[in-house]
Amino acid sequence: MRTETVITHVKCDICGKSNDKGFSVYRKRVAVLEIGSINEYGHFHKDISKNIVTKQLDLCKTCDDMANDRIIKSTSGMFTEKVYYSFQDVGEVSE
C-alpha cells in the first residue's frame, strides 16, 4: 500500500512566525488599510486615496489578538505580487 504525507508550512502574514516552529497559525478575515507602494528603487509612495478592504490573512495567536484592537496596514511592491503587512501605530493615524 502506498501512502503520501503532505506537510504544509504556513507563516503569519504580519510577524512571520510559522506553524512548523510550534506556533498556531489561523486564517482570519480582517480589515486592511492599503497605504501605498514601494517602487523598484525601494522608495515608498504614499497613496491616500485607498480604502480599507477586507482580506483573509494567516495570523498567529499574538497577531490575531492585536488585530482586534489595531489597524493592519499593507504596502505592496511595484511590479511584484509581494505585499507587506504590519500594524499601524497610534502616532501614524492622520486626521
Side-chain angles (χ1 to χ4, degrees):
M1 176 192 288
R2 180 178 169 175
T3 61
E4 292 184 19
T5 303
V6 178
I7 299 173
T8 59
H9 299 281
V10 181
K11 291 186 351 182
C12 177
D13 289 327
I14 296 176
C15 68
K17 292 178 183 174
S18 63
N19 64 345
D20 56 342
K21 293 184 180 173
F23 293 101
S24 300
V25 178
Y26 307 101
R27 181 159 282 226
K28 183 176 181 179
R29 187 171 291 275
V30 293
V32 176
L33 176 64
E34 297 175 341
I35 61 167
S37 61
I38 299 172
N39 68 7
E40 64 271 17
Y41 301 111
H43 298 101
F44 177 71
H45 295 280
K46 191 173 188 177
D47 186 3
I48 58 172
S49 65
K50 298 280 188 171
N51 292 324
I52 292 179
V53 296
T54 305
K55 292 187 177 182
Q56 275 196 335
L57 299 179
D58 296 322
L59 300 177
C60 67
K61 179 68 174 149
T62 306
C63 292
D64 185 17
D65 291 339
M66 289 175 59
N68 294 327
D69 300 328
R70 299 182 68 190
I71 298 170
I72 298 173
K73 62 181 179 181
S74 70
T75 305
S76 59
M78 283 189 159
F79 310 117
T80 65
E81 294 183 12
K82 197 166 221 175
V83 180
Y84 304 96
Y85 296 100
S86 61
F87 288 105
Q88 179 146 350
D89 293 329
V90 174
E92 292 182 69
V93 177
S94 59
E95 296 178 16

